[in-house]
Amino acid sequence: MFRFLLRKLSYGILVLLGVVVLVFFLFNVLPGDPARLTLGQRADVTSLENVRKELHLDKSLPVQFLLYLNDLSPIGIHSLAAAKGNMHYLTLAHLEEERILVLKTPYLRRSYQGKKEVWEILTEALPGTLVLALAAMLFATVVGIGLGVLSAVKQNTWMDTGAVFASVVGISAPSFFMGIVVAYLFGFVLSDYTGLHMTGSLFETDAFAGRILNLRNLILPAITLGIRPLAIIVQLTRSAMLDVLHQDYIRTAYAKGLPTRIVVFRHALRNALNPVITAITGWFAELLAGAFFVEYIFGWKGIGKITVDALEKFDFPVLMGSILFTAGIFVLINLLADLLYTIIDPRIKL
């Protein structure tokens, strides 16, 4: 188990390194001057040069990349003056030229626009994205598995045909299109009947009540985000169930006189869940990353929305931090999926 986890973590670190290399060099060729974005359009030449030096923009791109990696890595080289009195640094060794090797928390730098720490921006936005992704995945999992089992048990009936047709439509429709349709239809045209609005976030600020929780705003973006994984889960569950229901041990269970409900849910469904678990864990990670357009359409405050805003404003530290953070979630969830296989299906051995 330890070797398995170590190997998977090693692969994950390589993936994250590849993401850092790709995104860093890709977005550093975009137009826009970070120093001017930091100081504003009326900044003088001297101030701009000072900020460029502070942000290491006066150095070549490979040197900038190495400096960014040094900030990002949990083990880095820093000057003795910079590390002195910093509670986030743990000195490992003293090097030449007043430099030390330190163990530290990864530093994602500061936003060009708001001057806030990128990590602080991400942690403020993360709860909104997590709640949205969890709600969407819960909706997709419960409805998708239910429709998939119903479709398999009622094979070649109108229920089966209807479930398959709905899943094909769900797969074909992109999230940004469905978001616009759902927001307009249920949040505008039928708003008087549904009580829902086109835009809104998990917490809203009232002039008298202060910050209040509004779960009603979660309904439309969660359904929109959950449509595509729901369609995938329906088809995977149906296909796996049809395969399992024709196995010999299922026939034996029926021959013993077990009720259909017990045979379907206790024996067949459990052994059909492996591909479904893969879809659920993979889609949950993708929902965290793919909520960009849905959050933007519904005005939902989350990582997706701040990433789109950072891209519009060329706020590179926020953009880099959010993409790297999302990639890290992908790695962790895929590792969790591999571990869940052995819990759900004891036939699988690491």
Side-chain angles (χ1 to χ4, degrees), residues 317-335:
V318 176
L319 187 64
M320 187 76 177
S322 61
I323 293 176
L324 187 60
F325 186 79
T326 305
I329 291 176
F330 264 99
V331 171
L332 291 177
I333 291 182
N334 285 330
L335 177 61

Side-chain angles (χ1 to χ4, degrees), residues 21-156:
V21 172
L22 179 63
V23 177
F24 184 91
F25 287 101
L26 178 63
F27 286 103
N28 266 283
V29 299
L30 290 176
D33 184 1
R36 191 168 292 280
L37 290 172
T38 302
L39 294 177
Q41 296 299 321
R42 298 184 179 181
D44 58 87
V45 176
T46 304
S47 299
L48 288 173
E49 291 299 325
N50 290 335
V51 171
R52 289 193 183 100
K53 184 175 181 181
E54 179 185 351
L55 298 177
H56 309 297
L57 300 174
D58 57 334
K59 297 179 173 60
S60 63
L61 196 58
V63 174
Q64 291 183 43
F65 175 69
L66 292 176
L67 290 172
Y68 186 81
L69 277 184
N70 188 58
D71 287 340
L72 193 62
S73 172
I75 298 177
I77 299 174
H78 291 270
S79 66
L80 187 60
K84 187 177 181 180
N86 195 322
M87 300 299 292
H88 299 287
Y89 289 176
L90 176 63
T91 303
L92 298 178
H94 288 268
L95 307 176
E96 298 178 353
E97 299 180 358
E98 295 294 321
R99 294 184 178 276
I100 55 174
L101 185 68
V102 297
L103 179 66
K104 60 184 178 59
T105 55
Y107 178 50
L108 297 176
R109 299 187 175 179
R110 293 177 177 270
S111 168
Y112 290 155
Q113 297 292 324
K115 311 299 187 298
K116 290 180 65 176
E117 294 280 352
V118 172
W119 187 252
E120 183 180 347
I121 296 174
L122 293 176
T123 51
E124 289 177 357
L126 179 61
T129 300
L130 278 178
V131 169
L132 178 58
L134 285 171
M137 205 65 244
L138 179 64
F139 163 72
T141 301
V142 173
V143 178
I145 291 179
L147 288 178
V149 171
L150 179 65
S151 179
V153 173
K154 302 292 184 180
Q155 186 183 14
N156 298 324

